[in-house]
Amino acid sequence: MFDEKKYRESFSAVHASDTLLSEIEKATYKKAANKKTKRKRYIPRTVQTALVCLALILIPGITVLAYGKIKSVLLFFKGDTGLIEEEVRTLEETAEGEQYRVHVDSMLADSQSTVLGLSIEALSDEAEKQLFSQAFDIRDVVRFDYEGSDAAFISMSWKSSKEAENESIRSFAVRLDGLGAPNTVKLYVKDGKASPIILNIDTTVEKLSACALPDYKNGDYFISSCELSATQISYVVSFDEPVKGDKIVEIYFRNADGSLCTLQQLAGNETEISFWTVGEPEENTYRYTQPFSTLINPLSVSGVIMNGVEYSFPDNEYVAEVDIPKNLKPFLSPFVEINNTFYAYAGDICDNLGAQIENAEGKYSIRYRDNTLEFSVGSPNVYLNGEEKIWNASAVMEGDEVLIPGDFIDLLGVRRQMYYPQKGEVQSPEYWLITP
């Protein structure tokens, strides 16, 4: 469990400086943080695609016992869940329809999203067959209504696991993005007339927060605040002009050991960033959120860099301008299409990432952070940290330039996405947006 007192004591001697934030400014930000605004949800193309193609991901190696014996909400997270287990709320709520019985056993919420842990039990042979089919969609069994939420759109995703001791039960962790505390959720079983399960979302996981000084601005946008917890990050961004396409927004973090890192390096390449409007549309203000599939320890992060200025989580009065190294900055890189495969220029990628590329008689190696990628021109075999991977495409030469498939970039732990500066473009763009 995150201990804020211990956290602040650990960093009490860090970033000592004069007070730069006046009491008036503090009051202004406190008021702004508490202000409820009407929000309309917007999801980027990559997230829209993911939501259409929601995957039921089976988690191997997890033993799930009978009702009340496991917090199914933990199925949503990878690795060590000890950071949040004490903050998971245990429930015993059941609703039954003609074909299915639904049992809610746990819930975990932050200010912007909620994860529900539940089990679905098939009450007939036909229902059991459907429950464990590849085409099963949890939305065919349960429906959610929301009270108290001012979000115009709430996205839903889930992960699941088969019960170990009961062949007719399947456990789910359902994430409702855009629905945080305080709110009320009503869960209905679609094929029955039973009363809904009413869930009051009234507690959240511990979080760190920082507000930016209005004196500092980053180009054509301004990041005004940031919230960070073990389960996700959320930050608010205002733009000078209406957002009509992809925008590059830079936010960085100070690790407890003094090093800098990007959001990609902090959160990993497992989930997409979503965003929705805050306030009126003409204000051009959005809240960006990214959930962490693998939990992070808030004690490992001491500060956030917004608009080129560092703010300390344990010392709210610390403010300092920071020069961000080139190898941490996002960049646009050209790519080409060859035989239905997208290729990037290895030299350009490595130069911007600060990665080392070596060529030993056609055998290349790229070293970036903790990863080493080895490959040969014309060969589908590639080795990541010594482990062999086989791809449908291989590196090729274009004059003196070595071109690598885009998948090679992903293997390095770097985010890659097509960059559309104008909304509605249907042709392939000229650049990838590469985020270290």
Side-chain angles (χ1 to χ4, degrees):
M1 183 175 180
F2 172 60
D3 188 334
E4 184 176 0
K5 181 179 179 181
K6 177 181 176 182
Y7 178 77
R8 291 187 179 278
E9 290 176 350
S10 299
F11 294 97
S12 60
V14 179
H15 304 325
S17 67
D18 294 332
T19 301
L20 297 181
L21 188 62
S22 68
E23 292 302 319
I24 295 177
E25 288 170 330
K26 290 180 181 178
T28 300
Y29 280 111
K30 183 176 181 181
K31 180 180 179 181
N34 293 330
K35 181 182 178 182
K36 278 198 169 183
T37 56
K38 185 176 180 180
R39 299 175 293 176
K40 184 177 179 182
R41 185 71 178 269
Y42 286 84
I43 307 294
R45 280 177 298 279
T46 50
V47 178
Q48 291 172 343
T49 302
L51 293 176
V52 172
C53 305
L54 285 173
L56 297 177
I57 305 175
L58 295 178
I59 312 297
I62 295 181
T63 300
V64 184
L65 304 178
Y67 289 154
K69 301 299 183 181
I70 185 175
K71 299 174 181 179
S72 299
V73 72
L74 299 178
L75 290 172
F76 206 90
F77 304 100
K78 300 178 181 179
D80 182 13
T81 57
L83 285 166
I84 59 170
E85 287 183 13
E86 293 185 12
E87 299 186 82
V88 174
R89 179 177 164 190
T90 302
L91 302 170
E92 288 289 341
E93 301 288 346
T94 303
E96 186 172 322
E98 296 179 5
Q99 297 294 322
Y100 299 98
R101 181 183 295 117
V102 178
H103 176 83
V104 180
D105 60 61
S106 52
M107 177 169 61
L108 180 71
D110 54 40
S111 59
Q112 307 301 328
S113 65
T114 298
V115 183
L116 300 176
L118 58 90
S119 297
I120 298 179
E121 180 180 3
L123 302 179
S124 69
D125 291 341
E126 182 61 30
E128 182 177 325
K129 181 179 178 180
Q130 182 63 27
L131 179 61
F132 292 101
S133 71
Q134 292 290 335
F136 180 77
D137 190 326
I138 193 173
R139 294 170 295 184
D140 293 335
V141 176
V142 298
R143 174 175 63 87
F144 296 101
D145 280 346
Y146 317 106
E147 293 182 1
S149 173
D150 54 358
F153 183 85
I154 297 173
S155 68
M156 175 175 158
S157 58
W158 63 84
K159 296 180 181 180
S160 73
S161 176
K162 186 176 181 179
E163 292 281 356
E165 296 185 355
N166 194 322
E167 295 295 327
S168 63
I169 297 177
R170 190 171 183 177
S171 291
F172 294 84
V174 181
R175 186 181 185 96
L176 304 172
D177 281 305
L179 187 78
N183 275 301
T184 298
V185 176
K186 292 183 178 181
L187 184 155
Y188 293 84
V189 180
K190 282 189 172 182
D191 69 349
K193 297 181 180 180
S195 299
I197 296 173
I198 300 177
L199 303 170
N200 294 313
I201 311 172
D202 51 12
T203 59
T204 65
V205 297
E206 295 283 353
K207 65 185 178 185
L208 305 173
S209 62
C211 291
L213 289 172
D215 295 340
Y216 299 94
K217 191 170 177 299
N218 195 13
D220 61 351
Y221 66 89
F222 177 71
I223 306 174
S224 59
S225 63
C226 173
E227 293 181 353
L228 178 68
S229 71
T231 60
Q232 80 163 22
I233 183 175
S234 167
Y235 51 100
V236 177
V237 186
S238 297
F239 295 90
D240 290 348
E241 302 292 337
V243 178
K244 298 180 179 179
D246 289 339
K247 290 289 187 179
I248 300 174
V249 176
E250 298 182 42
I251 186 168
Y252 304 93
F253 301 89
R254 178 75 67 182
N255 294 316
D257 63 7
S259 63
L260 292 173
C261 72
T262 67
L263 174 56
Q264 167 73 7
Q265 293 164 358
L266 179 70
N269 200 24
E270 301 170 352
T271 54
E272 295 290 344
I273 299 174
S274 60
F275 62 96
W276 62 86
T277 58
V278 177
E280 298 301 323
E282 60 269 18
E283 295 176 359
N284 304 318
T285 300
Y286 301 83
R287 179 178 294 278
Y288 287 67
T289 64
Q290 179 169 354
F292 302 148
S293 295
T294 301
L295 300 173
I296 70 162
N297 186 350
L299 291 175
S300 68
V301 185
S302 66
V304 59
I305 293 86
M306 300 180 287
N307 318 303
V309 178
E310 180 177 351
Y311 300 87
S312 171
F313 287 131
D315 182 358
N316 293 332
E317 297 181 351
Y318 176 80
V319 178
E321 295 186 41
V322 178
D323 290 327
I324 303 299
K326 174 185 174 182
N327 66 322
L328 295 183
K329 287 180 168 291
F331 60 92
L332 299 178
S333 186
F335 64 91
V336 296
E337 183 178 358
I338 303 174
N339 296 328
N340 297 320
T341 298
F342 292 113
Y343 286 85
Y345 293 88
D348 181 69
I349 296 292
C350 291
D351 178 63
N352 283 282
L353 289 177
Q356 287 75 47
I357 181 170
E358 298 177 357
N359 176 16
E361 299 180 354
K363 294 183 179 180
Y364 289 84
S365 63
I366 296 177
R367 292 180 174 83
Y368 176 66
R369 292 172 59 80
D370 296 329
N371 293 317
T372 298
L373 191 67
E374 299 172 294
F375 58 92
S376 298
V377 172
S379 172
N381 299 78
V382 59
Y383 298 85
L384 177 64
N385 302 325
E387 181 181 351
E388 184 177 12
K389 310 283 186 180
I390 299 178
W391 300 90
N392 294 325
S394 59
V396 299
M397 297 298 299
E398 184 183 84
D400 294 332
E401 292 265 12
V402 59
L403 275 59
I404 56 175
D407 291 341
F408 285 20
I409 303 173
D410 302 336
L411 289 174
L412 292 171
V414 178
R415 185 184 295 276
R416 169 183 58 103
Q417 64 191 84
M418 289 187 173
Y419 180 69
Y420 290 89
Q422 294 296 323
K423 185 177 180 180
E425 294 182 358
V426 294
Q427 74 279 5
S428 295
E430 297 181 3
Y431 297 97
W432 271 329
L433 174 58
I434 309 294
T435 307

